Amino acid sequence: MEVAGQAQVQETAITLVRDPGDAVADRPAVGRAIERLRGALEREGLRVRLASQEPPEGEGGAVVVVAGASSSPAERIQTDAEVFVPRVPEALGLVPGRPGERSRILATGADARGLAYAVLELADRVELGRDPHEALRLRSPIVERPANEVRSLARLFASEPDDKPWLHDEDFWRRYLSMVVAQRFNRLNLMVGLGYNFPWHVTDGYLYFAYPFLVDVAGVRVRELPDEERDRNLQMLRFASEEAAAVGLDFQIGLWTHAYELIDSPDARHTIEGLTPETHAAYCGEALRTVLEACPAIGGVTIRTHGESGVPERSWEFWKAVFDGVSRTGRRVELDLHAKGLDRATLDLALETGLPVTISPKFSAEHMGLPYHQAAMRDLDRPPSEEGERGRGTKSRFMTVSEGSRPFTRYSYGDFLREDREYRVVFRIWPGTQRVLLWGDPAMASGLGRNAGLAGSEGLEVCDPHSLKGREGSAVPGSRDGYADPSLSTGDDWAKHDYTYRLFGRLLYNPDAEPSTWRRHLRATLGLAAMPAEAALASASRILPLVTSAHHPSASNNYYWPEVYTDIGIVGIDGAVETHYYDTPEPKRFGTVGPLDPELFSTVVETVGELLGEPPSGRCSSIDVSAWLERLSDDAEDHLARVDKELGGPARAPLRRLIVDVGIQAAIGRFFAWKLRSATLYETFVRTGGTSLLRDALEALRAARDALADAAERARGVYVDDLTYGPQAWLRGTWADRLPAVDRDLEAMEALEAAPFRSLDRDEDELRRAITSPALSALVPAVVHDPPIEFDRGEPLTLSIDVDARATSVEGVGLRYRHVDQSTTYDELEMIPQGEGFTATIPAAFADSPYAIQYFFVVRDVGGGARLHPGLGPRLSDRPYYVIRARR
């Protein structure tokens, strides 16, 4: 009996070994990770012992050795296992003991953060597993290193009623930051001052001009803010930043507004007193220094220097004072400058401080498109012929750079990716495409992980899904997550999106991570339905990014919200429709709306032009996109049907949330598929006069309307009737509110049926088949290209592409290339047949540049068609071009 009792103790005991003399293992973040692992084991009924060395063989049960990779115990275990953790920042290792020995596992890391990740990985396996012993039993070692130096999550404060409760909640911060670090993000950016683009018509100005909401400097104060609340705000900022540091996160504060005067804002609830134009710059510098000294755990400051900050562009003396305020702290604080409107003079002022400088461009304008950097920017975002000609009204005097000589910095990386740059580049995915519905596609998250490092860039920041909720004073009572059904609400709004954070954080860390890293979460929360649910959500999650990339009526998330889309009509009067989308091509109607990436996607009108005989471009057409969307929607619905089959009973809240959101996204996909098809048929009818095409366009538009009505019905009773991300009609409401605009478009198209039209001079059935039954298999040309690893600056660069011997249809290949500089356009070379393929040489003068080279191929077939290579891939997640950098 005594032996059996001892065996039971052995089976239920775990010893966590940490040598206090190990400088890496003794860091606070590692201690926090150990406490999380300890708590997870104890909740499973195991007895956990903390020790500074391993107990004798036969005592203490299983052992987890927590040690820095260069420590003696870790090196001994690594040597025995012939497994070595690379000595690079944040690398981690989990190494099991040799067979036949006691149950032992080494959790190790190259530094404290890597070691914390290793321990948190064990905690995650225990928390989400069925058997804690099995969770700690590794079949093979795990060694990982980060693919991206910066993996950041941004949380935005934009609304006093929606955001102040979590800002002032210490328990919220503990839960949230614990989640963030466990998913291997390494930075948290708390951003304020994004409630309004300009200091016009402000009502909810809480933390808009942040300094006097935090500190008392030079007598500047917020009239309506009690001193106690100001002090509480600073206390919470200090708490959040110190808690972030304790768990192993860098903490950044984003100060997006430096405007203290609120213009035409009689209903503003918080106003500033004590500042003048003469004291403004000095005050900001001193106030920022005071904030940073009061919160020494803040390691970086994100600053918007373009006109939406409320400071006119080219106000160099102002920004010098702000940067100097950071410099005067005497510590190494990063200056993170938002790329839009950033000129060289402002950048030089930041560099002159000697502080580390980062430039943070937008990844896909103010949205989330497909997971690659757009191959080219829209014509609307190119430099105008005369500086300042694009300025819009009163605001133009603030935007002399971003709407003048450098508009190409607004929505992408512009010309900032020079190989000889003196700063880091970290991209930011803005919260415009998807704000409410669940998102989760491992393929796209992996694509982002691979593409974030374009031309040596350092990483990516992702904005919280609910960012900008209640913006511009639009908050309404109710849950921040938008649920009308309280049984679906999660308490913490981020908890609904925990799978999204897992995919982003872990696949930014390692784009090739094993599927178990996300599937264990799905199994724990969704049970038997996990596998079909994963597939359903993955298919659904490609829909809105594809729509964003292919149909982009506005780059601004203040105007375009494809998730709850405000319709733009297909039928125009005199070729145009009335719309709020200010930055879409003329004449404004659905068929002329451009893509986010005009190098890869065609408009509806351009698709019809090629259909009717114009030279083929090889770009993805509106026909292709509609077919993709239909397939994604079908796949999502098919997998949902499998979810129901596997479930066999009532679903718990996590699965109910997923089922609803996938269903809504599938309906949105069908809406856009049918709308694109209708527009393509309609624009073909306009060009040809074929009345049967008009009838088909009407039928397709009715199907689009039905799909949107389906989305509205699925959301009814689940989500509130007023999802508010701004006061304008296109930033609030719900799917049902979008139906009347589609009805008006239907009425306009129906009115055309009675009009006389000329007869069509070509086969209408042939056109109809081309539009409604595309051959998606043709999207993958049978060619192979092996890109060079690097090129020599100032030397010719010869590229070749091989044709599959079975592909006799390839007639010719064009090479399109440019520098990795969005301000430039592509050159093109016709490739020369050679052997079983084609070849072309980029001139030496072009290769003599401080930029990497980006290129792709246009493959033409004998039938008159063309496709681009390498293309987006079957999961729409590949990089559709090659990038090679100069030899160093």
Side-chain angles (χ1 to χ4, degrees):
M1 293 295 293
E2 292 178 2
V3 173
Q6 183 178 357
Q8 186 175 7
V9 169
Q10 298 272 5
E11 183 66 20
T12 60
I14 301 285
T15 301
L16 304 182
V17 179
R18 177 173 61 157
D19 181 356
D22 184 337
V24 172
D26 199 43
R27 299 291 296 169
V30 178
R32 289 291 190 95
I34 289 173
E35 284 304 308
R36 179 160 180 170
L37 174 58
R38 179 184 185 177
L41 292 167
E42 290 179 340
R43 285 192 294 275
E44 293 295 325
L46 276 69
R47 182 168 58 85
V48 181
R49 174 173 174 259
L50 302 180
S52 60
Q53 58 184 11
E54 286 194 49
E57 194 74 32
E59 295 183 15
V63 171
V64 177
V65 178
V66 179
S70 298
S71 68
S72 295
E75 287 195 329
R76 183 178 65 252
I77 296 172
Q78 290 175 86
T79 299
D80 288 347
E82 297 183 345
V83 174
F84 299 95
V85 173
R87 302 307 195 260
V88 297
E90 303 184 20
L92 68 86
L94 292 171
V95 184
R98 289 183 297 187
E101 292 185 334
R102 75 187 309 163
S103 178
R104 177 199 290 118
I105 186 169
L106 168 67
T108 188
D111 57 10
R113 190 173 278 162
L115 179 52
Y117 291 159
V119 177
L120 288 169
E121 175 68 9
L122 292 178
D124 193 65
R125 294 163 70 95
V126 172
E127 289 167 347
L128 300 178
R130 296 188 182 95
D131 178 353
H133 294 287
E134 183 62 28
L136 296 180
R137 196 171 294 128
L138 299 182
R139 291 175 176 80
S140 59
I142 297 172
V143 175
E144 296 183 88
R145 60 189 296 170
N148 293 287
E149 179 183 335
V150 176
R151 306 173 304 280
S152 183
L153 187 61
R155 188 163 183 93
L156 278 62
F157 186 107
S159 162
E160 181 183 5
D162 276 337
D163 295 330
K164 196 162 68 172
W166 59 257
L167 179 69
H168 286 174
D169 184 346
E170 291 186 1
D171 288 337
F172 161 82
W173 281 110
R174 292 188 183 96
R175 294 188 299 270
Y176 183 65
L177 295 172
S178 178
M179 176 277 297
V180 173
V181 72
Q183 304 315 330
R184 300 190 196 163
F185 290 99
N186 61 5
R187 188 176 82 175
L188 191 283
N189 193 348
L190 175 61
M191 306 206 309
V192 299
L194 272 168
Y196 297 79
N197 276 359
F198 286 93
W200 274 261
H201 312 299
V202 175
T203 54
D204 179 1
Y206 202 91
L207 281 175
Y208 182 56
F209 178 59
Y211 303 128
F213 286 87
L214 299 169
V215 291
D216 180 7
V217 171
V220 178
R221 62 186 299 272
V222 183
R223 291 187 184 93
E224 302 84 356
L225 187 75
D227 291 348
E228 299 78 22
E229 187 168 341
R230 179 199 63 213
D231 295 343
R232 173 66 169 159
N233 288 337
L234 183 65
Q235 174 191 343
M236 289 310 304
L237 179 60
R238 184 186 302 116
F239 174 83
S241 58
E242 290 176 352
E243 182 70 11
V247 299
L249 289 165
D250 296 333
F251 190 92
Q252 194 117 341
I253 185 168
L255 301 169
W256 289 78
T257 298
H258 278 79
Y260 69 95
E261 290 185 291
L262 305 180
I263 302 169
D264 294 334
S265 303
D267 299 321
R269 293 194 290 273
H270 294 91
T271 53
I272 311 300
E273 65 180 12
L275 268 182
T276 67
E278 292 73 27
T279 61
H280 183 204
Y283 165 79
C284 289
E286 180 61 17
L288 180 50
R289 182 192 66 79
T290 304
V291 170
L292 293 174
E293 290 186 348
C295 303
I298 295 177
V301 182
T302 299
I303 295 176
R304 170 173 59 177
T305 62
H306 69 76
E308 290 176 13
S309 68
V311 178
E313 290 166 2
R314 295 178 173 165
S315 297
W316 297 307
E317 289 302 315
F318 178 88
W319 295 117
K320 183 179 188 305
V322 172
F323 300 158
D324 286 348
V326 180
S327 184
R328 291 201 309 276
T329 62
R331 59 188 178 89
R332 193 172 171 79
V333 178
E334 178 189 38
L335 289 173
D336 174 8
L337 305 181
H338 180 50
K340 179 177 176 178
L342 180 62
D343 59 14
R344 186 68 212 191
T346 307
L347 175 58
D348 283 343
L349 290 172
L351 292 168
E352 286 167 7
T353 64
L355 298 171
V357 175
T358 294
I359 294 177
S360 48
K362 297 170 183 173
F363 195 101
S364 301
E366 294 179 1
H367 301 88
M368 188 174 86
L370 297 178
Y372 73 94
H373 300 275
Q374 61 197 88
M377 63 177 49
R378 309 178 310 161
D379 287 341
L380 288 165
D381 303 324
R382 295 195 181 281
S385 57
E386 294 183 16
E387 186 167 327
E389 70 178 36
R390 285 199 186 131
R392 288 180 285 119
T394 307
K395 298 174 184 177
S396 63
R397 69 182 179 89
F398 283 80
M399 311 289 283
T400 54
V401 177
S402 53
E403 290 190 354
S405 59
R406 295 177 61 76
F408 52 82
T409 63
R410 297 169 69 189
Y411 300 124
S412 192
Y413 54 80
D415 58 358
F416 291 120
L417 290 182
R418 295 175 60 97
E419 296 282 77
D420 58 355
R421 56 187 180 265
E422 310 145 274
Y423 46 82
R424 300 194 306 174
V425 175
V426 175
F427 295 97
R428 182 173 291 116
I429 294 181
W430 281 71
T433 293
Q434 208 157 331
R435 309 173 194 252
V436 177
L437 303 174
L438 283 170
W439 185 94
D441 177 20
M444 288 190 67
S446 293
L448 287 167
R450 294 186 181 93
N451 290 322
L454 179 70
S457 302
E458 279 73 19
L460 182 68
E461 180 167 280
V462 181
C463 290
D464 255 349
H466 294 295
S467 298
L468 304 181
K469 179 74 170 65
R471 193 171 193 251
E472 295 188 27
S474 63
V476 295
S479 64
R480 191 171 185 264
D481 56 23
Y483 281 118
D485 181 347
S487 69
L488 294 176
S489 196
T490 56
D492 289 327
D493 61 86
W494 58 264
K496 169 181 175 174
H497 300 278
D498 50 5
Y499 181 59
T500 302
Y501 298 119
R502 177 174 292 262
L503 292 181
F504 277 142
R506 288 170 173 255
L507 293 171
L508 283 171
Y509 180 89
N510 178 11
D512 299 313
E514 289 294 321
S516 61
T517 197
W518 62 84
R519 285 180 177 163
R520 73 174 75 110
H521 166 84
L522 293 175
R523 284 195 297 268
T525 55
L526 305 181
L528 294 175
M531 292 303 289
E534 175 191 338
L537 183 57
S539 293
S541 296
R542 293 172 198 159
I543 288 170
L544 285 167
L546 174 57
V547 169
T548 296
S549 293
H551 175 79
H552 208 74
S554 179
S556 169
N557 64 15
N558 274 346
Y559 290 86
Y560 183 35
W561 183 13
E563 184 181 46
V564 186
Y565 176 69
T566 296
D567 194 57
I568 181 170
I570 294 173
V571 180
I573 300 173
D574 296 326
V577 298
E578 185 177 340
T579 178
H580 72 281
Y581 297 117
Y582 74 94
D583 59 329
T584 204
E586 301 282 354
K588 298 181 190 295
R589 64 178 189 275
F590 192 91
T592 63
V593 169
L596 173 66
D597 185 351
E599 196 67 29
L600 209 69
F601 292 92
S602 298
T603 67
V604 171
V605 167
E606 289 167 340
T607 295
V608 171
E610 292 187 27
L611 192 64
L612 297 178
E614 294 175 9
S617 66
R619 293 174 293 177
C620 303
S621 69
S622 59
I623 299 170
D624 299 327
V625 174
S626 64
W628 271 327
L629 290 170
E630 189 169 47
R631 178 177 295 182
L632 290 170
S633 295
D634 288 345
D635 287 349
E637 292 282 16
D638 289 346
H639 292 303
L640 275 187
R642 288 179 52 215
V643 168
D644 289 339
K645 183 177 179 182
E646 293 287 349
L647 192 61
R652 293 185 297 122
L655 187 55
R656 287 167 56 210
R657 288 193 291 266
L658 184 144
I659 290 169
V660 169
D661 285 9
V662 167
I664 293 172
Q665 287 175 80
I668 293 170
R670 288 206 170 87
F671 166 77
F672 278 106
W674 283 111
K675 179 92 179 188
L676 283 164
R677 193 166 294 152
S678 176
T680 307
L681 288 160
Y682 173 79
E683 296 290 351
T684 308
F685 153 73
V686 169
R687 288 279 297 271
T688 65
T691 53
S692 68
L693 296 174
L694 176 62
R695 288 193 294 272
D696 291 337
L698 261 170
E699 184 179 340
L701 188 54
R702 291 183 184 116
R705 199 267 182 206
D706 290 344
L708 185 58
D710 181 33
E713 185 58 35
R714 290 171 186 259
R716 192 182 310 279
V718 175
Y719 287 105
V720 296
D721 292 334
D722 192 8
L723 299 164
T724 55
Y725 291 85
Q728 300 87 355
W730 55 84
L731 288 176
R732 63 188 313 160
T734 187
W735 292 272
D737 300 320
R738 305 314 194 241
L739 288 167
V742 182
D743 290 335
R744 289 192 294 272
D745 200 25
L746 262 172
E747 292 170 3
M749 194 177 290
E750 288 167 346
L752 297 175
E753 282 191 295
F757 294 100
R758 66 184 186 276
S759 61
L760 188 63
D761 58 1
R762 59 183 295 174
D763 188 344
E764 293 184 40
D765 288 337
E766 177 187 343
L767 289 170
R768 184 182 301 105
R769 282 194 299 272
I771 295 169
T772 59
S773 304
L776 280 178
S777 59
L779 294 179
V780 185
V783 293
V784 177
H785 172 63
D786 186 15
I789 296 174
E790 55 195 2
F791 68 93
D792 292 307
R793 282 192 59 176
E795 298 292 332
L797 173 62
T798 299
L799 301 171
S800 60
I801 187 167
D802 296 326
V803 178
D804 191 313
R806 296 165 296 177
T808 57
S809 63
V810 176
E811 182 180 60
V813 180
L815 169 68
R816 289 182 62 77
Y817 63 96
R818 68 163 171 82
H819 296 124
V820 183
D821 174 1
Q822 292 281 29
S823 68
T824 62
T825 56
Y826 282 83
D827 290 332
E828 184 162 2
L829 288 172
E830 183 63 25
M831 301 188 77
I832 301 169
Q834 186 176 82
E836 295 183 350
F838 297 81
T839 186
T841 299
I842 295 174
F846 185 89
D848 189 12
S849 163
Y851 291 95
I853 295 175
Q854 175 175 326
Y855 64 93
F856 61 92
F857 304 97
V858 183
V859 183
R860 301 186 304 277
D861 62 49
V862 293
R867 287 295 174 189
L868 305 184
H869 180 81
L872 293 167
R875 297 184 295 180
L876 305 180
S877 298
D878 294 348
R879 181 189 288 178
Y881 46 77
Y882 300 96
V883 173
I884 52 174
R885 303 176 69 187
R887 190 187 311 276
R888 298 197 173 204

